[in-house]
Amino acid sequence: MAVLAVYTFRPTVDQQILPEWTLSNYARLLEASVYGRMLIYSLFFAGLAAAISVIMTFPFAYFVATKVAPRRRFIWVALAAMQFFTSYLIRVFVWMNLLGDGGLLNEFLIGTGLISEPLWLFGANKAGIVITFVYLLAPLTFLTTYIALERCNPVLLEAAADMGAKSWQRLFRVTLPMARSGLLGGFVLGMIMILGDYITPQLIGGTEGYLYSNIIQLQFGSSVQWGMGATLALVLMVVVFALLLALRWISGGAPEVGTFTRSFNPSPAPALRTYAILFLVMLYLPIALLFILAFNDRPMIGFPFTGFTLQWFSAVFYDPLLIESMKNSLTVSAIAVGTSVVLGTLAAVYLARSKGPMRQTSLAIISIPVLLPPMLLGLAIIIGLNALGLSRGLWTIALGHTVLSLPIVTLLVMIRLEGLDRNLEDAAMDLGATPAMAFLRISVPQALPGIFAAALITLALSFDEFILTALVTGSESTLPLYIYGALRFGVTPSVVAVSVMLLTASFTLLLAGVLVANLGQRKGSPSAAAGLALST
């Protein structure tokens, strides 16, 4: 990223970065008002989608955090959060089939006689992009809101009720102020995700899906204006950090609500329960439609369902480019996960045993890749490689995936290590064990569930990562890149079958990781799902 900042002062002539200093990129940025207008428009667009997602997920998060018994929350949280860790590109692909004048939503409404012509709201336009982003952000905004609500002290609500506060007064005067850190966190992180996504607007909205991130990507693509692209990327990075600082400042004064209360209100809430069920249906119905399309005997994607078939799955294994892409994905994931587990575990040991400002500083630095859009990380990597004169290949993809995976491994293993008794290591050393032997023979076996869970989750994330991969790859293709190419140049039922296989593998790995992370948790301690959500 430091090299990226330096490149903002470099001119680009005949597609070459010249080794001289200039302010021409900043002058061009200030002179061309289109960049500022597009940034403001993108901020408004991202804020709108993030705000709608926060509002929609709040009732569901409130139900799970306050109306569901602690022993059953794990199921609800896992169901809601699982999609956040599955293929981003495939979830966008689902909405490509649902939206548009000929999309499944408009076809269904016309077929049932509810409308006579396609609705603009469900078209492949700006409205469709907002709907898609709301769907993509829903698991994230739920997690941040749920964590904040589960930490709220129910005694305050009881005290407000005893003093005559009505239900709506308790909501606006007590619950929302206590949960504001989670609400703001979901809003800001959702905006950051959208600001760094240059793929979804193009796939869903076509020519209407043009945001600030698309301008940046264009500078590093067909325009080959790396200096200007670095300048625009640096502006986006400043905006992202400003959003994070604003979140920290606004939520920093939140009242102290303590650790997870594990308390809940057993009173019936039929309206909230109905909303929660409909929310989960909204999350999984598009995925279910994708599975139905994969088994449809119809040679074209869509309905009606003409018969059950497995031919599209068998056709997958006769595509040499697809097989090669799958092998590349497995290779990259193995390297990234192996490196992340080793380095992340060592970092987690340090963080779990340190205290004070140094711990907080280290934790903040390690967490930066999670808080930045993958696009910025990808641009920083390719600019750094260019400065070093290195060519791109599979190893650069593995490098990028390692940067993304390291924080997740570190935080998950750290949570596990912080619950261990250090006295056991001291006792082992009193009996003659070296510090290294005590750590390997005492602490590592107890931390294995956290390490194994982190490996499974980062394996699923690495296998699905697309935005960063598309930037740092050379001529090699991975499975997400293969699917993206198919989405742009011709979707066949075989691509749907590949998507279903990838989703199934992701769900399996993630579910196994969450279940393993939940092993050994003390009764009454925070759920593993909540710990997972907090760490990521």
Side-chain angles (χ1 to χ4, degrees), residues 14-36:
D14 295 330
Q15 302 182 1
Q16 297 292 326
I17 298 289
L18 300 184
E20 56 188 59
W21 299 95
T22 181
L23 293 174
S24 60
N25 294 318
Y26 288 97
R28 180 181 168 190
L29 176 65
L30 295 174
E31 291 171 358
S33 60
V34 62
Y35 298 121

Side-chain angles (χ1 to χ4, degrees), residues 7-18:
Y7 267 44
T8 64
F9 298 101
R10 300 292 194 191
T12 306
V13 179
D14 295 330
Q15 302 182 1
Q16 297 292 326
I17 298 289
L18 300 184

